[in-house]
Amino acid sequence: MGIVSLFAGVGGIDVGLRHHNPDLHMLLACDINKDSQKVLQSQFPCVPIHDDVKTLNELPKGTTVVSAGSPCTDLSSLGMCKGIHGPASSLVNEVFRLVEGCDTVETVVLENVANIFRLNDSEGVRHVVDNFDRLGFDWAYRVLNSASFGLPQNRRRFLIVATRGSRPPPTWFLSQREWYQNRRHKVTEEEFEKKGWAGFYVTEGRNGCAFRAGTVPTLKCNGNGLKHTNGFNPHAILLHTPRERDGKRVLKLHPDDAERAQGFPVGWTNAAGIQARRLARLGNACPVVFAEFVGMGMAGLLDGVPLPDPDPRLGKGKNLPHCGLSVKGKRSFYDVSEAAHEMVLSLLKCETGAETSRLLRSEECLPVSERSILGFLRRAEGGRSAMPEWALDILKKESGV
């Protein structure tokens, strides 16, 4: 099988798909970001790289799989929120253009932010599934959370798998297990001590900061910060015990630990350069476990997993449900969790679980400045940081207050 990776980023989708499909070889990677291109060149040295999807006239001969992490700039809650027809996110139409011109494509995998459901009555999701219907594909989509796979990061993403030709409908993508996460849970001192650290956004505080024990906040792509000499890193960690080197407890997240939180091998993004550039590329990446889940289904490893029954009450409101299926044009919707079936966890080759929440580079992390800590405390004082008082007290001591 030959795969073309559009909006390839640092190759997260492609790495995951190949875990269970060793005969899947990359024919072409396409990404306009120079740092992403450096990583792709270092990890896939024999694969040709194209820079601009708009100037790619056609897919290479023999393309059977297309993957794409299309731009989320206009769809993210942190972005412009212009929707699927915004200047960046509308580039997903290039995927449909290229697939339409290649009759050998049997599988397409698309990934984007979960906020696509909230914008403009799920207009973005409707646009995607309508185009797959137009091109004669069956499809299944859902929202997944990387934390449910055992990674130390809360990263919710919309994924859709579309198939046609000899490929059966991707019904296996609906397989799930019961899983619930209380996003309003306040971390206790006991949890903090047990995990040894907690992650949070040091640049926020007024309306939350994603403070969780043993978990990094959702990695962001902060490209604008790269104009500064030392780059920019909003992801902070608070240590339970001061580190040996200098007694610091409030540190910037190291890219090696961010890679583990995304399911990549340590050092995967080294070619991108300085820490801020590596973190920016990781903040733009698809967790490897999501693509590995898809790859299991492509390899037939999930045939026979129990599937939920469709809920006829769903799909009639303005916003679409977070899980849907279409077979031969007949759509159905499901009430499922953001977690895959237990069988998926047992087959994962990507490293997950308790080991990935152990910090590798706490002694090498750059410290967060007292000025940044004070800024966070000022915002948290009159806002809704959701950070426990005991944690705020630690930050006050670290800032000299």
Side-chain angles (χ1 to χ4, degrees), residues 86-97:
S89 294
S90 62
L91 289 173
V92 71
N93 293 324
E94 299 296 328
V95 178
F96 302 128
R97 172 182 67 84

Side-chain angles (χ1 to χ4, degrees), residues 151-327:
L151 289 179
Q153 179 192 189
N154 287 301
R155 193 173 189 85
R156 301 174 67 245
R157 285 298 184 268
F158 159 69
L159 274 90
I160 183 166
V161 184
T163 61
R164 70 177 178 184
S166 62
R167 282 283 176 184
T171 53
W172 47 265
F173 197 50
L174 308 179
S175 65
Q176 60 138 359
R177 74 182 192 281
E178 293 303 316
W179 186 78
Y180 171 74
Q181 183 182 64
N182 182 2
R183 296 194 182 99
R184 296 187 178 183
H185 170 70
K186 278 207 170 187
V187 178
T188 65
E189 291 185 75
E190 290 75 20
E191 290 176 287
F192 180 52
E193 181 178 8
K194 182 178 179 180
K195 293 290 186 179
W197 64 280
F200 68 103
Y201 292 125
V202 72
T203 52
E204 299 186 13
R206 187 167 289 111
N207 292 303
C209 65
F211 185 77
R212 281 191 177 272
T215 302
V216 303
T218 302
L219 297 176
K220 298 179 181 180
C221 176
N222 289 276
N224 292 337
L226 299 181
K227 62 187 178 183
H228 302 297
T229 304
N230 296 319
F232 180 68
N233 182 356
H235 317 94
I237 55 176
L238 176 63
L239 298 181
H240 178 266
T241 303
R243 67 179 179 184
E244 295 181 3
R245 179 159 64 90
D246 55 11
K248 297 290 185 180
R249 296 180 68 178
V250 189
L251 310 171
K252 297 180 181 181
L253 180 68
H254 194 282
D256 286 3
D257 290 311
E259 284 169 338
R260 282 154 58 90
Q262 286 281 53
F264 288 99
V266 171
W268 182 266
T269 59
N270 280 346
I274 62 171
Q275 291 192 18
R277 292 187 179 277
R278 291 177 64 192
L279 284 164
R281 293 305 93 215
L282 289 164
N284 205 39
C286 174
V288 176
V289 288
F290 293 166
E292 187 173 353
F293 176 22
V294 175
M296 290 176 194
M298 290 172 56
L301 299 178
L302 302 178
D303 293 349
V305 295
L307 302 176
D309 294 323
D311 190 334
R313 299 170 298 176
L314 299 176
K316 298 179 180 179
K318 289 185 177 180
N319 290 340
L320 286 176
H322 285 190
C323 182
L325 170 73
S326 175
V327 178

Side-chain angles (χ1 to χ4, degrees), residues 4 25 29 46 104 108 197 215 274 305 313 370 376 392 398:
V4 170
H25 59 283
C46 297
T104 61
V108 182
W197 64 280
T215 302
I274 62 171
V305 295
R313 299 170 298 176
E370 290 186 5
F376 176 87
L392 290 171
E398 290 296 302

Side-chain angles (χ1 to χ4, degrees), residues 150-152 197 214 257 260-261 263 350-359:
L151 289 179
W197 64 280
D257 290 311
R260 282 154 58 90
C350 178
E351 184 180 11
T352 61
E355 178 60 22
T356 58
S357 66
R358 181 179 64 85
L359 292 175

Side-chain angles (χ1 to χ4, degrees), residues 380-401:
E381 183 178 356
R384 298 172 294 176
S385 72
M387 181 176 279
E389 286 298 325
W390 57 263
L392 290 171
D393 289 341
I394 295 176
L395 293 182
K396 290 174 183 177
K397 292 178 182 178
E398 290 296 302
S399 67
V401 173

